Amino acid sequence: MKRKSLVLPVVAGLLAPVLVACGGSDGSSGSGDAIVVGTTDQFTTTKESPAPLDPAFAYDTGSWNILRQSLQTLMQVPRGGGAPVPEAASNCRFSDNQNESYRCELRDGLKFPGGADITSQDVKFSIERVLDINSEAGAVGLLANIDTIETPSDAEVIFHLKTPDATFPYKLSTPIAGIVDPESYDGKKLRDGFEVNGSGPYNFKAEMKGDRIVKAVFTKNDSYKGDLKLRNTKVELRSYPDAAAMGKALDSGEIDVMSRTMSPEQIEKMAAQPKDSIALTEMPGLEIRYLAFDTDEPAVKEKAVRQAVAALVDRGQIASEVYGSTAEPLYSLIPATVTAHTNSFFNKYGEPDRAEAQRLLEEAGVQTPVKFTLNYTTDHYGEATAKEFETLKKQLNSSGLFDVDTKGAEWSKFRPAQTRGDYAVYGMGWFPDFPDPDSYIAPFLDADNFLNAPYANKKVIGNLIPQSRREAERSAAAKSFVEIQDIVAEDVPVLPLWQGKQYVAAADDISGVEWALNPSGELLFWELGTGSAV
C-alpha cells in the first residue's frame, strides 16, 4: 500500500521556554528561607531497588533530579543548551583527531564533604565503579565505550575510548559520571539507602518515613568549586501522592514550585484560567512515551504482530483525548523538535488501518486474536497513564485482531520487573540523557541498552551508531539517524506514541523558572531564586 509522508517542522537544538501565565501578588512557602519544590516522584527502597540514589543504579528522572544537585560531574550542559562546558574540570578536550582520547584537567580546590581533596584518582574510581558494578537497571551503557582511564597526575585524567565518540563530553555531564567519595562508596557494590556524598552545589539530606523519602533538603555547599551560580541557599523537595495533592499545596503556599508530574487537566486549567499569584511556564517538548516489546516473548516475537500494533494505534486519539494540548503524536523515537527527526512510522503505516493490520497478520500466518498484556507504571508518569493504556487497549481490541488486557504496578516494582524481562509489552517514558539525537537511539538499540531488551540489529549496533558518533559536527550524523529510524519502523522493537511539553508552575515571586528545567526533565535548583533572574 502506498503511503504518503507526513512532514512536520524540525528545529535544531532546543526551543525557548514560553511564559503561559503570570500574576502579581505575594507568595511564600511557609518554610523559612527555603524554596520548596513539590513532586509526585516517589523515592522508596525495596529488596529489588535497595540503592535508588546510587549513581551506578539510578536511571530515572526523579533520582537524577536529586543527584544533579548533589554530585559534581566533569562537564555540564550550559544554560539554554549547547555543547558541554567544564564543571569539575577546568578544561577538557579530545587530544586526538579520531575522538578516541579525551583529556580533562580538574579545577583547583575541589573537596568532598568531609574535607578530602578530590583528585583524578577519585574520578577514575567513580567511573570504573560504575563499570565494575554494571547494574542492569543503571545507565552503564553511557560509559561502556570507555576502554581504559589514565591518571598522569592528581589533576589530570585521560579517557581512552574503544571507538570514536563525539558525544562523550555529553556523557560526562550526566549523573552516572558523578564524582563520589571512595571513603563512602564501595568500588564493587551498590550503596544502599538514600545517602549521597558529593561535591556538587548542594549538600543533601533525606527525611524519611519508613522506607520512603517524604522530604529532601538541599543546603548550599560552601565548599563547592565549580561553574554554577547559586541563586538560593536552601531548597526542599517534598513528595506528594498525586498531582491533585501537589496542586493544592501550591495553591495554599505550602510549596513554591511544581513540575513532575502535573496532570494534563491541571496544566490546561492553569493556562486557561491563570491565577494572580501563580505563573505557568511552558518548556521545550523533549519527553517521549512509547511501547516496548520483548522480542523473545512468544506473543510478540513475530514481527508482523508488532507491525500490526503499529498499524492500529491511533496516536492522535491518545494525544487529544488523554493529554490534550500538552502532547502531540510522535512517529519516531527522535522527537519532531530535534535535529535528524523523520516521521518513519507514519511513512510506513500511515493513518490507523485495520485492513493493513489484518493483512500483516494473515501473511505471517499469525492466529488471531493475539493475546498479551499491556503493562504500565501507575505512579511514575502521572495518573493519566492509566487512561492512556485503557485507550490503547480499546484501540487494539476493537479491531478484533487482538485480545489484550492492561496491568499497572508501582514504579518500584515495575522497573525491576521490566528489567528482568517479565513483560512482553510495556509502556515507558523517556527524557534524553543529553540534548543530542544519540540519546534517543543508543539507549534503546545499542548492545548495552537500558531496557535490557533482547532486540539487536547488527547494522544499527555495528555500523550506524558508531558511524553517527564519529561526526564531531552533529548535523552530519543525520543520515545515520534517519536510516536507524526507518529500521525501527520496520522491526518495531519499540513503538513511539507521543511527545510532550514540559511545564513548571511557580509562585510569582520565584524567578529563574525559565532556566530551571533541563532537557532531561530535571529541575536545576540553583537557577531558582526570589526577585529578578540574572
Side-chain angles (χ1 to χ4, degrees):
M1 181 180 295
K2 187 176 181 181
R3 302 286 180 189
K4 64 180 180 178
S5 294
L6 175 67
V7 179
L8 294 175
V10 177
V11 181
L14 304 180
L15 302 179
V18 178
L19 188 65
V20 177
C22 62
S25 68
D26 181 52
S28 62
S29 66
S31 184
D33 295 328
I35 293 175
V36 185
V37 177
T39 182
T40 60
D41 285 319
Q42 304 299 310
F43 306 100
T44 307
T45 57
T46 66
K47 182 179 179 180
E48 293 175 318
S49 180
L53 296 184
D54 190 315
F57 179 87
Y59 201 17
D60 64 84
T61 301
S63 297
W64 274 24
N65 196 35
I66 289 178
L67 296 179
R68 181 70 68 183
Q69 328 298 330
S70 46
L71 294 182
Q72 197 170 16
T73 51
L74 289 171
M75 305 290 287
Q76 60 120 348
V77 176
R79 175 195 275 189
V85 297
E87 166 51 1
S90 59
N91 68 80
C92 290
R93 65 196 182 280
F94 281 106
S95 56
D96 66 334
N97 294 327
Q98 288 76 40
N99 293 339
E100 287 184 309
S101 184
Y102 197 69
R103 183 184 301 262
C104 291
E105 295 177 7
L106 298 184
R107 290 181 185 270
D108 293 332
L110 296 174
K111 292 183 181 298
F112 286 119
D117 292 337
I118 295 176
T119 69
S120 60
Q121 287 79 22
D122 297 316
V123 176
K124 184 176 189 287
F125 168 84
S126 300
I127 301 297
E128 288 184 343
R129 176 179 181 271
V130 171
L131 296 170
D132 289 342
I133 292 174
N134 195 27
S135 172
E136 288 183 345
V140 64
L142 291 174
L143 305 178
N145 193 34
I146 296 173
D147 186 14
T148 59
I149 303 175
E150 183 183 353
T151 55
S153 71
D154 284 350
E156 188 176 19
V157 58
I158 304 172
F159 300 92
H160 299 287
L161 308 181
K162 299 172 185 176
T163 58
D165 186 4
T167 71
F168 188 67
Y170 283 107
K171 294 170 182 176
L172 289 181
S173 74
T174 62
I176 196 171
I179 305 168
V180 299
D181 187 350
E183 294 298 318
S184 302
Y185 291 80
D186 190 301
K188 302 297 181 182
K189 65 180 183 180
L190 295 171
R191 185 180 185 182
D192 293 354
F194 293 111
E195 295 291 327
V196 180
N197 295 87
S199 57
Y202 294 95
N203 296 315
F204 165 76
K205 182 179 180 180
E207 295 187 12
M208 308 291 299
K209 184 176 182 180
D211 58 1
R212 186 183 300 266
I213 291 179
V214 293
K215 182 195 296 184
V217 181
F218 300 85
T219 54
K220 182 181 178 181
N221 177 8
D222 291 330
S223 299
Y224 167 71
K225 302 288 184 182
D227 197 46
L228 304 175
K229 309 300 181 185
L230 276 67
R231 302 189 60 246
N232 60 70
T233 58
K234 185 178 180 181
V235 175
E236 292 182 5
L237 182 68
R238 298 182 186 176
S239 186
Y240 292 87
D242 51 45
M246 182 171 62
K248 288 180 181 178
L250 181 66
D251 288 341
S252 69
E254 180 180 309
I255 63 175
D256 301 299
V257 182
M258 69 175 187
S259 178
R260 283 182 55 87
T261 302
M262 299 165 64
S263 71
E265 292 79 11
Q266 278 180 322
I267 294 166
E268 292 191 338
K269 183 177 180 180
M270 292 177 73
Q273 303 172 24
K275 296 183 178 181
D276 288 342
S277 59
I278 296 172
L280 179 68
T281 303
E282 178 185 315
M283 304 293 193
L286 296 178
E287 177 187 14
I288 70 170
R289 298 284 178 88
Y290 60 93
L291 287 180
F293 300 88
D294 184 337
T295 54
D296 280 350
E297 282 290 325
V300 295
K301 187 172 184 178
E302 177 63 58
K303 180 169 70 173
V305 172
R306 306 191 300 271
Q307 290 178 325
V309 174
L312 286 171
V313 166
D314 187 340
R315 296 168 175 82
Q317 183 186 33
I318 294 170
S320 63
E321 294 186 5
V322 180
Y323 295 100
S325 61
T326 68
E328 295 180 352
L330 178 63
Y331 296 92
S332 171
L333 277 174
I334 299 176
T337 46
V338 174
T339 302
H341 165 83
T342 182
N343 290 295
S344 53
F345 274 85
F346 189 89
N347 296 341
K348 182 169 179 61
Y349 301 100
E351 300 290 350
D353 189 339
R354 183 195 180 281
E356 174 66 1
Q358 183 174 12
R359 181 190 70 79
L360 288 164
L361 295 171
E362 288 179 349
E363 288 187 358
V366 175
Q367 184 176 355
T368 58
V370 179
K371 295 184 179 182
F372 57 78
T373 298
L374 293 168
N375 294 275
Y376 66 95
T377 173
T378 57
D379 62 338
H380 195 63
Y381 303 120
E383 53 246 53
T385 309
K387 183 178 179 181
E388 175 185 354
F389 274 75
E390 283 303 309
T391 303
L392 280 168
K393 173 183 173 180
K394 291 177 182 178
Q395 290 178 358
L396 296 176
N397 288 350
S398 65
S399 71
L401 303 173
F402 288 90
D403 180 9
V404 305
D405 200 358
T406 59
K407 186 176 181 180
E410 291 183 356
W411 179 253
S412 61
K413 297 178 181 178
F414 174 89
R415 175 63 169 143
Q418 176 270 310
T419 304
R420 286 195 306 267
D422 292 355
Y423 303 144
V425 188
Y426 52 93
M428 295 278 279
W430 183 254
F431 281 102
D433 298 322
F434 48 86
D436 186 276
D438 181 272
S439 193
Y440 289 98
I441 295 297
F444 304 99
L445 305 175
D446 213 349
D448 297 294
N449 67 81
F450 95 102
L451 293 175
N452 200 30
Y455 173 81
N457 183 287
K458 292 181 179 179
K459 185 174 185 181
V460 171
I461 294 172
N463 183 355
L464 294 174
I465 290 177
Q467 181 176 298
S468 73
R469 289 174 175 168
R470 292 189 187 101
E471 304 293 348
E473 176 52 55
R474 299 307 293 149
S475 61
K479 183 178 179 181
S480 296
F481 288 128
V482 168
E483 187 170 354
I484 291 171
Q485 290 168 88
D486 289 341
I487 290 172
V488 172
E490 170 65 27
D491 292 351
V492 200
V494 292
L495 179 64
L497 297 173
W498 55 269
Q499 69 180 83
K501 302 171 185 176
Q502 300 184 77
Y503 296 86
V504 178
D508 66 351
D509 65 338
I510 300 298
S511 59
V513 173
E514 66 272 24
W515 302 112
L517 202 60
N518 73 4
S520 298
E522 304 150 10
L523 274 173
L524 309 179
F525 290 168
W526 56 85
E527 295 283 7
L528 298 173
T530 56
S532 299
V534 293

